[in-house]
Amino acid sequence: MKKLLPLMLLMLITVSVKAVDVKGQIITGKDTMNVMLKIPVNMISQEPAYIKLQNKIRYISENGEKKKLKPDMADEIKFKFGFDTIRMVSVPDPVGGSHDGYFDYFIFIKIYVDGKIKLYQHYSTPMYGNSGKVWYLKKEDHPLKLVVDFSRKKMMKYFSDCPELVKKIESKEFKSKDIIQVVQFYNSHCSN
């Protein structure tokens, strides 16, 4: 029974997703293509199934052709979902490994906070009590920085170019669990 449970959960996740047509854009270099994206949506949460979007997306081109877009074929996808504008950019796969039976070098990853420092959200299958959401930071011209085990000292070093923020981290006003507010503070107060 214990071996059967993960398989049953995977099947439940698979059947609980439907695709909805959403107007969107595929951005490659300076070119922007308006398309109809087939966004997989979790029927329970009614949110986009980001795990599926990270590896590929299906779309209908302006001339009505059904196509599939892999992350190494574009720089960004952009669409409105509810009241939110969702942007997912193509980045080297921070986790690595095999997806859908082949080795991917790139995935689409959601921009959660945009600015001089970007905060990205990577989605994976929830396991061992985690939510399946992993945060990454990106400074200009620096690689993605995983925000796991982001101690106060590591945070102060990473944001050392912003003394005002370092003081807030040092005084424990901001902790690693406050990463969204930390990035927003940096972008609004320290990005000059």
Side-chain angles (χ1 to χ4, degrees), residues 67-92:
K67 296 188 173 191
K68 182 170 39 171
L69 181 74
K70 301 265 183 175
D72 62 348
M73 300 165 64
D75 296 324
E76 181 178 339
I77 58 172
K78 184 175 171 181
F79 59 94
K80 277 204 159 287
F81 195 84
F83 297 108
D84 298 324
T85 297
I86 308 294
R87 293 178 56 211
M88 297 184 76
V89 295
S90 177
V91 298

Side-chain angles (χ1 to χ4, degrees), residues 24-75:
Q25 298 176 320
I26 297 172
I27 301 161
T28 307
K30 295 180 182 179
D31 296 329
T32 299
M33 185 171 43
N34 293 314
V35 297
M36 186 64 67
L37 299 169
K38 298 275 197 188
I39 303 297
V41 175
N42 182 307
M43 290 173 39
I44 296 167
S45 69
Q46 294 299 305
E47 292 184 0
Y50 291 107
I51 291 176
K52 289 185 174 277
L53 286 174
Q54 288 177 152
N55 299 317
K56 68 182 173 219
I57 188 161
R58 298 185 189 285
Y59 69 95
I60 301 172
S61 68
E62 290 175 314
N63 61 4
E65 289 181 75
K66 292 181 181 181
K67 296 188 173 191
K68 182 170 39 171
L69 181 74
K70 301 265 183 175
D72 62 348
M73 300 165 64
D75 296 324

Side-chain angles (χ1 to χ4, degrees), residues 13 16 27 33 64-65 97 116 142 157 161 177:
I13 290 169
S16 67
I27 301 161
M33 185 171 43
E65 289 181 75
K116 187 170 181 182
H142 288 84
K157 182 178 179 184
D161 59 331
K177 69 179 176 66

Side-chain angles (χ1 to χ4, degrees), residues 2-191:
K2 287 183 181 181
K3 292 180 181 179
L4 195 56
L5 186 60
L7 181 59
M8 289 171 38
L9 285 173
L10 181 63
M11 289 173 52
L12 180 63
I13 290 169
T14 303
V15 294
S16 67
V17 174
K18 66 177 180 177
V20 296
D21 293 346
V22 176
K23 290 181 183 178
Q25 298 176 320
I26 297 172
I27 301 161
T28 307
K30 295 180 182 179
D31 296 329
T32 299
M33 185 171 43
N34 293 314
V35 297
M36 186 64 67
L37 299 169
K38 298 275 197 188
I39 303 297
V41 175
N42 182 307
M43 290 173 39
I44 296 167
S45 69
Q46 294 299 305
E47 292 184 0
Y50 291 107
I51 291 176
K52 289 185 174 277
L53 286 174
Q54 288 177 152
N55 299 317
K56 68 182 173 219
I57 188 161
R58 298 185 189 285
Y59 69 95
I60 301 172
S61 68
E62 290 175 314
N63 61 4
E65 289 181 75
K66 292 181 181 181
K67 296 188 173 191
K68 182 170 39 171
L69 181 74
K70 301 265 183 175
D72 62 348
M73 300 165 64
D75 296 324
E76 181 178 339
I77 58 172
K78 184 175 171 181
F79 59 94
K80 277 204 159 287
F81 195 84
F83 297 108
D84 298 324
T85 297
I86 308 294
R87 293 178 56 211
M88 297 184 76
V89 295
S90 177
V91 298
D93 188 346
V95 177
S98 175
H99 303 284
D100 296 335
Y102 60 91
F103 189 79
D104 279 341
Y105 292 99
F106 289 87
I107 62 168
F108 287 120
I109 194 167
K110 181 181 173 187
I111 297 177
Y112 199 85
V113 177
D114 198 1
K116 187 170 181 182
I117 291 185
K118 293 176 181 4
L119 181 64
Y120 295 105
Q121 199 168 36
H122 177 267
Y123 295 82
S124 61
T125 304
M127 293 187 336
Y128 309 114
N130 72 20
S131 67
K133 297 176 185 176
V134 180
W135 298 105
Y136 287 91
L137 293 170
K138 175 89 169 85
K139 280 186 178 180
E140 295 173 352
D141 302 324
H142 288 84
L144 290 175
K145 169 77 174 154
L146 178 61
V147 183
V148 159
D149 188 26
F150 211 37
S151 67
R152 220 167 4 116
K153 285 183 181 181
K154 288 179 183 178
M155 286 176 62
M156 291 187 318
K157 182 178 179 184
Y158 191 83
F159 297 108
S160 63
D161 59 331
C162 182
E164 189 178 354
L165 178 55
V166 169
K167 285 180 187 174
K168 290 182 177 290
I169 295 168
E170 194 171 35
S171 71
K172 299 182 183 176
E173 186 174 334
F174 284 135
K175 298 177 181 166
S176 62
K177 69 179 176 66
D178 303 318
I179 193 63
I180 297 167
Q181 293 85 359
V182 168
V183 173
Q184 290 170 334
F185 183 91
Y186 181 96
N187 287 336
S188 64
H189 293 83
C190 310
S191 62

